Structure formats: structure tokens, C-alpha cells
Amino acid sequence: MKWKKMTALFLCGAMTAGLFAGCAKGEEKKGENKDKKEVRGGYVEEELKGPWGEEEIYLGSFLNKEKQLSVYTQKEQEGEGIKVYSYTQQGKDDWKKQEETWVEERIDADTYVNYLLQGEDQNLYLMTNDVVEMDESGMTTSEDGEVILPPQPTYLYRHTSEGETQEVPVESLDLEYQEQHGGFMPYYLGVAENGTIALVEAISSNIVLYDGATGKETYTLPSHQILTNSDGMICLSGNTVTTLGQDQKSLVSYDVTTGEETSHTKVEGAESGFGFLDVTEDGTYYIASDKGISVYKENGSIGEQIYDGSRGSMGETAGSLTIKNFLAAGEQEFYGVYESYPANTFSVCRYYYDKHMSTKTEKTLSVYGLYESGMAEAAVRAFEKKHPEVDVDYQYAMKREEEGNPEDYIDALNTSLLNQEGADVLFLDDLPVDSYIEKGILEDLTAFADQKVKEQTLVSGVAEGMKKDGKLYELPATFRLPVFYGTEEAIARLDSLESVKQFLKAHPGEKIVGAAAYEQIAYLLFAVNYEQLKKEDGTFSQEKIAELLELSRQLIDESQSEDMEMQWGTYFKNRIVSGNTMSPFSGIGMMELYEDTSFTGVDDLYGLAQISLICDVLETQPGLSIRNPHQLYLPGNRMGINASSKEKELAEEFMEIMLSDEIQQQDFVEGLPVRTESLEKLADIAEKGAGEEMFSIGFTGGEMHSYGYPTREQITPVLEMAKEVKTPLVIELSVRKTFLECAEQYFGGTISAEEAAKTLGEKMDIYLSE
């Protein structure tokens, strides 16, 4: 498998796949601009139009002796094998292209390039590994969840200015050494001026130094825990290596010739380790992150942000882009290299100081939602890039995955909106939309949405399904697709409460679904049969709710899992009642269907990774199929415009950007795109990456299972299914919390099913009356 492309999911026993004062917790991005004086001078981002094509894969980049930018790429040329090219910038749009045969001679279709860089000794270094199929690799996890890697054939080459290429021995790369000490997955490679090689391996918190001639270990230096390929917080300059410290609040430098610490500099905002560090000869540290570029002086304590990343590609590294390299070319010039996930394309940007640039904005557009959204943040950056005269004030109440009570923020928001105040654009997930419509708080978006459907821009069922009495006041920017997968016979058992009851009666002791918790199954049946559980007045049938709870108990009696009960109580349930990151369909069955096809798997598809897993299960078990129950979809990033907004044109344009292909084609793991063009592009992206094992999944203490993107033939039926959705499933926050509270009491044995149903009915009567 290709280790560098791998995203591993490790589980504990079970599979889990300023609006108003005192309320919003999202950081105020720029603040009030009404009295802001015009300031001139600032850094500008410029995307370089290099001669490389979209089919070329980024391998590495560096500044040569003349401080010219060199970019290396790889391309599979039909009939000619793999070609490697270097592009050296001669002028703004002038690049010198050269074929790098010394690299081509050392790679083939079964080789993965880990690193291609220029060492501080001015030699070029290439690190490769042989592709190993996962089922042959023996990759496992220990009982405490630690990844155990198999030996991995890995090679390091040095290419000198005289044109000579030689393999460099490094003891940790030796297969016998790996067999004794565990496999090797590189997460950092650097070479000092004296030839010392610095390596960091996966899930490590140490930099290990090796003699450049003998390959023997010389020193081990403490660093920070590296958990992702997006971590670039280690840098070599001359014979000094600098790293983010173990406290993640300082930069620590070491002399590679002695292994001794030489400086210690405090930094801010680097706790996560996500960012890229470059060090210049004069001891100046530059850090690039999604926030922008910050500068620190060696042994200093006060840093300065010199570039705001919110309006460009650097800010996108919080979402769909990964920063692959960051280079300081001089005091006022920098380069950033970015890779787009999942399209697997790259771009190069130059940052330079423009003394004439104005920082003044003329208008402010306010955007608010209960929950943090990477997609909304990307749209903010795209909007500000298009409209430099507008400042977008985006705020949210709760961070993604944060536990808390969203209702704590809703009351204050309601008061603000009723006073004809509040944000121009509202993200309506878990907000009381029906109440807002009744009180005239939301702008009518019917004409806007109808035009998009007419142009075939949007998936028609997603837009049409949100209409109430023929009008539309909210439009989702994403949607989740709930699916059942298994044999046709197994899937049919979950069609309705009646089909569940009949199966349990005819087949006592048999499972319908995979391992799950009691409340989890009850919530699943509640969601699948949501409309059928309601009476004409909108309240729930107490008789049917009681029946649902009793059937849920029978189902779990056959599929009981202590691990899933623990996961539900400590993780799943909290995510459901305090946010919008999980649904009733999240991850039931999953890996079990690789071995056992007697029951149904359940999941919701909100990105390529989830689609890939389902398609891999179906490929492994050819007799299985996939179905979207009742043409349901779960709308997400539900956009509305405040009827009291003074900036309705700008608000509508912000929605346009949210629905643009630029934003929709990115994978924020928040839902499938509602834009038809972007949804169909998922097949192109999958086809481009098909055959590469990009993900792994497994049980603690067991073998890992790897898989990659599906083929076009596999993914097309799923995308066609997504286009056919018609019925939105929106379980309001108060409804789901009340149902889960009643279910918990029933399964805990404190009340009967009838009493639980009655309690739910009474609370819903109160809710509806309000």
C-alpha cells in the first residue's frame, strides 16, 4: 500500500466510522470596520501559473542557490512509463523545464516517492518506498490501539551537483532492522549542511539524526508528537534543526553536530502542530498556517502576524487544501505549495509585500450559525477574495465536535431576530425554522432556488424537498445520503416497523442489523419511520412509539454489543444531542459485512471516504446491494437570509458562492454537494485515484483492512441514487433530545414503553404549542 496516502481509522473494540453579545463563540475575524482608517501596505497572494498540468503529481520544491523556485512533478506518460520533471522559475511566467532521469531510473509503477528535496549541503535527496499491498503487509493494531507496522522497503538516494546518484545507508530503513524494531513510516526528512540526516517516523515525538556517511544513529532529539502529514513544524538551516517543542508552545533549536539545544523561542497558536516552519540564515522563524504568516526572532518572545491567510489559499488549509511546503525567499517574499484533497492537484502561490495595497473595507456582511462549518469558512474566504471591499463577519456558537447545549444560544438569537437584528446570512441547522417562517424572519428564496433548479444547477429533489406550502425559505448547501446495504432480502426487513415485526416473529434469534446500542437502534427506527410515526396534527402516535421501543429491544437482544453501548454512551449520543456531525444512520454494521452478510449495514454518505468504504464492502461481497430508504436525505449547511438584512444582495451572492463549483467540489466532510456538476465530479475524482489504497480500517487488536476510491462503474449508481432523493429528514433538536431521553428511561428499566411514549407525546404537545 502507499503509506503516505493512507488515512487510518483506529477504534476501541467497535467500528465508528459578532451576532449578539455574550452568545457567539466563534472568533471575531476582523471586528468592526465603520471607523477603521485606511492603511496602505501589506502582503499579497499571487497564484503562479506554472507549465505543469493537472495530471502531474507534486513531488517536492525548494529554492536553489540563486533563490529561484524549483518544483518537481511526476507524470505517467502513456507508452513511456513514469516521467519526472523539474520546473525552475526564471521570471514571473518563465520556467525552465527539465526531465530528471536520475529520479526516473529509481522509480516505477510500484514505487512511491516520499520525499524529493534539496539538503542544506546543496545535494538533492530522494526517498522512496516499494508499494506493499495491505493484505500482504500484516499491518495490525495493538490492544491499546497503537499501530504496528510491517517492514517497509524504503530507500534514500543522494544526487550530487556533479550528476552522481548513490544510495545512502540509513540503519532504520534496513529491513532486518525494521523486523526487529517495527516498520518505518517517514513523516519528516531533512539533511544538514554537514550531511547529517534527520528523520522522524510516524506517531513519533523524536527527531533521530544519522551520520550521512555511515547511516548510523548519532543523536535523538525531543520534538513534538507528529500525527499528520500536514505538520511541517521541523526545519533544517545549516547545521541547526528547529522544531516545535514538546510543550507545543515554543520553537527549540539543536546543533546537529553535538545534539545540544542552542535556542528556545516562545510561539503562539501552534498547539495543534498544524503549520509549516521555515528558518532563515539570520535566525528569523516564519510560520505558515491557516491563520496566515507569523514571524519570530530567535530567543525572542513576541511574534507578529505579517499576513492574514483568511482571504487566500493559506486559509484553505483549514479545509480542503494541505500545505505541502513553505519557503522564505527573503524578508518580504515567500512561497506556499498546496495540494487539493481529494482532487490530488497542486498549486503554488507567491506572497510579496505591496506598499500600495489598501486594507480598508467599505461594507460588512454578517454570517452566523450554531455550528462551526469548514465549508462556510471556505465560502467566506472566496467571497472576500472576490470582494476585497467587503469584510465578512462569520461567527458560530459551537466548535465542531464540541459538547454542549445548542439551546443555550438559540434563545438569545431568537430575541435578536425578533428585534429585526442579527446576521444577514443564517445557517439554520438546528434552529427553529418553522417558527422563523411563521414570524416572517426569513426571506422568501423561492425564485432564487427555482432558477437554480431550472438551470439544472442543483439536485432538484434537494431544493424542492425543502419547500413548505410551495415556498422556500432555506436552501441546503450539502446533504447526507442515508443508505442500507446488504442482500435485498436483508434490506427489505428494515422497510417499516411492520416488516421488522414480521421478521422477528418468523425468525426469532436472528439479527437484522450489525452490532449496535439499544438507544441507537431505537433512534434509527425513529428516523426511518419518522413521517409514518406522526398523526395528522403533527404529533406522534404514542401507540407506534411504544411499538418502536419494544421492537428495538428485541432487535438489540440479538445484536447486543457492550462495546457499542459504551461508544454510544461516551461518544455517539453526545454528538447527536449537541451538534450536527452525526445522524441516526451513522455506522451500524460496516466492517462486519466483510465477513457476515446475513444482516443489513447502515450508514450515511457525506463524502468520498464513506462512499469508498461502502463500495469496497460491495466489491468484497458481490451479492450485496445498496438502497436509499424512502428517498430520504439529511439537509446540511441550511442557508437562509434574514428578512431584516440591509445587505440582501450581498447575502444572496454569498449563497451563490456556497453553491459554486469552487466550494461544492471540495470535501469538507460535511455532506455531499447539492450542485449537480460537483456531485458528478466525484466520479472523476474517484476514477483518478482508483487503485490506490488510501484508507484503512480495523478493530483494536486485529488486522487492518485497506481500500481506495471506487471505480467509476462502482460509484456511478451511488451518485445516481443521490440525485433521486426527494424527502428531507429534519429531526429538530428538541424532538431528538426528548426522544432519546425517553428511550434512555425505557431501556434503563425505569419506565415502560407506553410510559415513554406518553412522556414523549406530552412534551411534544408543549413544544408544538410554543
Side-chain angles (χ1 to χ4, degrees):
M1 64 172 281
K2 301 186 177 181
W3 296 108
K4 288 286 285 185
K5 301 289 287 186
M6 176 62 66
T7 299
L9 175 64
F10 308 110
L11 309 163
C12 298
M15 191 56 54
T16 61
L19 181 65
F20 44 86
C23 184
K25 292 174 67 178
E27 293 183 3
E28 186 172 340
K29 189 170 62 64
K30 296 186 181 66
E32 188 61 54
N33 290 281
K34 291 180 181 178
D35 301 322
K36 184 176 179 180
K37 293 182 179 180
E38 181 174 9
V39 178
R40 291 194 176 273
Y43 282 88
V44 177
E45 177 184 273
E46 173 191 36
E47 183 173 346
L48 301 180
K49 303 299 180 184
W52 48 80
E54 284 193 3
E55 70 281 1
E56 293 183 57
I57 298 172
Y58 171 78
L59 293 182
S61 57
F62 53 84
L63 297 171
N64 63 19
K65 293 180 181 179
E66 289 74 36
K67 296 294 182 179
Q68 295 172 309
L69 178 65
S70 291
V71 178
Y72 281 66
T73 70
Q74 173 181 313
K75 177 182 179 181
E76 189 159 358
Q77 202 97 342
E78 189 173 351
E80 298 183 39
I82 294 175
K83 296 294 182 181
V84 175
Y85 301 105
S86 65
Y87 300 90
T88 302
Q89 191 178 30
Q90 309 296 302
K92 180 178 179 182
D93 297 316
D94 182 18
W95 297 79
K96 178 183 177 182
K97 180 179 179 180
Q98 179 173 313
E99 184 174 356
E100 302 291 340
T101 56
W102 72 274
V103 180
E104 294 171 354
E105 291 169 356
R106 285 153 185 85
I107 63 174
D108 55 31
D110 294 321
T111 304
Y112 185 81
V113 176
N114 285 300
Y115 293 99
L116 200 166
L117 53 84
Q118 179 179 264
E120 288 294 289
D121 61 355
Q122 299 303 308
N123 293 316
L124 301 184
Y125 288 85
L126 170 71
M127 177 179 278
T128 70
N129 66 257
D130 293 344
V131 176
V132 177
E133 296 297 329
M134 177 61 79
D135 56 3
E136 299 173 0
S137 72
M139 180 178 178
T140 60
T141 58
S142 65
E143 291 297 331
D144 59 3
E146 182 181 353
V147 183
I148 301 173
L149 301 175
Q152 181 80 1
T154 305
Y155 311 94
L156 180 62
Y157 303 96
R158 179 190 296 118
H159 183 71
T160 67
S161 57
E162 290 77 25
E164 296 181 1
T165 305
Q166 53 194 203
E167 186 174 350
V168 182
V170 179
E171 63 178 341
S172 62
L173 305 185
D174 181 76
L175 284 179
E176 290 186 11
Y177 183 94
Q178 290 189 51
E179 288 174 356
Q180 296 175 10
H181 298 84
F184 183 86
M185 183 189 291
Y187 264 32
Y188 173 79
L189 168 68
V191 182
E193 188 174 19
N194 69 347
T196 294
I197 297 163
L199 282 175
V200 178
E201 62 177 306
I203 319 177
S204 172
S205 57
N206 291 315
I207 302 170
V208 183
L209 303 181
Y210 300 88
D211 184 280
T214 65
K216 298 297 183 181
E217 180 179 334
T218 57
Y219 300 105
T220 296
L221 310 176
S223 179
H224 63 290
Q225 186 76 47
I226 294 183
L227 300 174
T228 169
N229 290 336
S230 301
D231 186 334
M233 293 299 292
I234 302 176
C235 179
L236 264 162
S237 178
N239 285 325
T240 300
V241 61
T242 303
T243 177
L244 182 66
Q246 290 183 323
D247 62 356
Q248 299 193 349
K249 295 181 180 179
S250 59
L251 294 176
V252 185
S253 295
Y254 300 93
D255 185 332
V256 301
T257 63
T258 64
E260 295 181 356
E261 180 179 324
T262 57
S263 69
H264 192 101
T265 304
K266 293 181 181 179
V267 294
E268 298 176 351
E271 288 82 357
S272 64
F274 289 88
F276 234 95
L277 169 70
D278 198 15
V279 183
T280 55
E281 294 176 356
D282 63 353
T284 302
Y285 305 133
Y286 295 96
I287 299 176
S289 70
D290 61 303
K291 305 299 182 186
I293 302 174
S294 298
V295 57
Y296 294 84
K297 291 293 184 179
E298 185 176 308
N299 292 316
S301 59
I302 299 176
E304 177 188 3
Q305 182 171 312
I306 59 174
Y307 171 71
D308 178 6
S310 65
R311 290 178 180 256
S313 297
M314 200 167 284
E316 288 293 340
T317 58
S320 63
L321 294 184
T322 299
I323 186 167
K324 302 298 292 184
N325 203 2
F326 172 67
L327 302 164
E331 185 178 351
Q332 295 185 339
E333 186 176 27
F334 308 91
Y335 294 95
V337 182
Y338 306 95
E339 189 171 73
S340 175
Y341 170 84
N344 202 24
T345 57
F346 76 95
S347 57
V348 181
C349 293
R350 172 177 173 251
Y351 300 87
Y352 63 95
Y353 189 82
D354 181 356
K355 65 181 180 180
H356 301 295
M357 187 188 80
S358 172
T359 62
K360 183 179 179 180
T361 54
E362 299 170 2
K363 292 183 178 182
T364 297
L365 178 73
S366 55
V367 180
Y368 177 79
L370 274 183
Y371 308 115
E372 177 186 19
S373 166
M375 186 181 202
E377 290 169 345
V380 168
R381 289 187 288 270
F383 186 94
E384 289 185 330
K385 200 171 184 179
K386 183 177 180 181
H387 293 284
E389 78 284 0
V390 179
D391 180 76
V392 182
D393 180 16
Y394 169 53
Q395 297 191 33
Y396 51 85
M398 298 177 65
K399 283 186 171 291
R400 192 171 177 85
E401 302 290 333
E402 178 183 356
E403 293 185 21
N405 184 9
E407 291 172 333
D408 292 342
Y409 308 97
I410 294 176
D411 288 343
L413 172 62
N414 291 346
T415 301
S416 178
L417 293 172
L418 287 172
N419 289 332
Q420 297 188 343
E421 299 170 349
D424 302 300
V425 179
L426 295 168
F427 283 98
L428 298 165
D429 302 65
D430 277 346
L431 294 179
V433 174
D434 289 342
S435 176
Y436 290 174
I437 295 172
E438 182 182 338
K439 292 177 172 62
I441 289 172
L442 296 177
E443 186 77 2
D444 186 350
L445 302 174
T446 310
F448 176 85
D450 285 351
Q451 182 63 31
K452 295 294 181 187
V453 172
K454 184 179 179 181
E455 296 169 352
Q456 298 184 331
T457 300
L458 302 182
V459 176
S460 60
V462 173
E464 293 292 329
M466 301 304 292
K467 287 186 175 179
K468 298 177 191 271
D469 298 325
K471 292 189 175 183
L472 187 142
Y473 297 90
E474 59 170 319
L475 190 60
T478 59
F479 70 102
R480 291 173 176 246
L481 181 72
V483 293
F484 296 153
Y485 55 106
T487 64
E488 290 287 349
E489 179 186 3
I491 292 174
R493 300 166 190 163
L494 281 173
D495 277 343
S496 64
L497 291 180
E498 183 61 28
S499 63
V500 171
K501 182 166 65 176
Q502 292 301 322
F503 176 80
L504 290 174
K505 182 178 179 181
H507 304 277
E510 293 189 26
K511 295 197 299 185
I512 286 185
V513 296
Y518 281 104
E519 291 177 49
Q520 186 179 19
I521 280 297
Y523 189 41
L524 171 65
L525 294 183
F526 184 65
V528 173
N529 301 281
Y530 192 64
E531 294 302 323
Q532 292 72 34
L533 293 169
K534 290 181 179 180
K535 298 188 294 187
E536 290 185 5
D537 62 359
T539 61
F540 293 105
S541 165
Q542 294 184 24
E543 181 181 349
K544 289 183 178 179
I545 292 293
E547 180 183 34
L548 181 154
L549 292 172
E550 290 170 344
L551 288 173
S552 300
R553 183 181 289 280
Q554 293 180 55
L555 278 174
I556 297 302
D557 283 343
E558 307 305 334
S559 307
Q560 189 172 18
S561 167
E562 292 183 5
D563 288 327
M564 285 305 295
E565 290 290 347
M566 180 189 70
Q567 291 288 335
W568 174 263
T570 59
Y571 180 77
F572 278 75
K573 187 175 181 179
N574 292 335
R575 295 280 74 76
I576 287 170
V577 299
S578 65
N580 62 349
T581 57
M582 297 197 74
S583 86
F585 301 89
S586 296
I588 302 175
M590 298 179 71
M591 195 171 177
E592 294 172 85
L593 269 81
Y594 280 115
E595 304 294 337
D596 185 354
T597 61
S598 63
F599 53 87
T600 302
V602 180
D603 208 350
D604 58 351
L605 307 182
Y606 51 91
L608 258 179
Q610 293 74 32
I611 295 176
S612 299
L613 174 59
I614 300 295
C615 287
D616 190 62
V617 173
L618 298 184
E619 182 181 22
T620 305
Q621 300 286 0
L624 305 188
S625 60
I626 182 172
R627 184 195 300 179
N628 165 230
H630 312 309
Q631 294 181 296
L632 292 173
Y633 68 95
L634 286 72
N637 285 321
R638 297 155 55 194
M639 302 178 292
I641 294 178
N642 188 344
S644 300
S645 170
K646 302 297 190 295
E647 303 290 351
K648 290 179 183 175
E649 289 187 9
L650 288 177
E652 189 170 298
E653 187 165 353
F654 181 83
M655 290 179 59
E656 289 271 12
I657 286 180
M658 282 286 290
L659 299 173
S660 68
D661 185 54
E662 175 188 358
I663 301 299
Q664 290 275 309
Q665 69 175 318
Q666 300 180 47
D667 192 345
F668 301 98
V669 199
E670 295 177 11
L672 299 177
V674 299
R675 186 180 181 90
T676 308
E677 171 192 8
S678 307
L679 185 64
E680 291 172 344
K681 277 186 178 179
L682 293 180
D684 299 329
I685 295 170
E687 185 175 52
K688 185 176 180 180
E692 293 187 17
E693 293 177 338
M694 304 181 72
F695 313 100
S696 69
I697 196 167
F699 289 98
T700 300
E703 292 187 3
M704 302 295 293
H705 181 81
S706 69
Y707 55 96
Y709 283 155
T711 63
R712 180 177 293 275
E713 182 182 14
Q714 290 172 315
I715 197 174
T716 297
V718 178
L719 301 182
E720 292 301 317
M721 185 184 298
K723 293 179 187 178
E724 298 300 318
V725 297
K726 291 183 179 179
T727 307
L729 175 62
V730 179
I731 304 178
E732 294 190 26
L733 179 62
S734 59
V735 174
R736 66 177 185 260
K737 289 182 72 172
T738 302
F739 174 79
L740 290 172
E741 286 170 2
C742 294
E744 181 180 17
Q745 290 177 316
Y746 166 66
F747 291 116
T750 59
I751 60 176
S752 67
E754 290 74 20
E755 289 171 325
K758 182 180 179 182
T759 301
L760 176 64
E762 291 172 348
K763 290 187 176 182
M764 286 301 97
D765 287 342
I766 295 173
Y767 171 75
L768 290 172
S769 68
E770 295 175 345

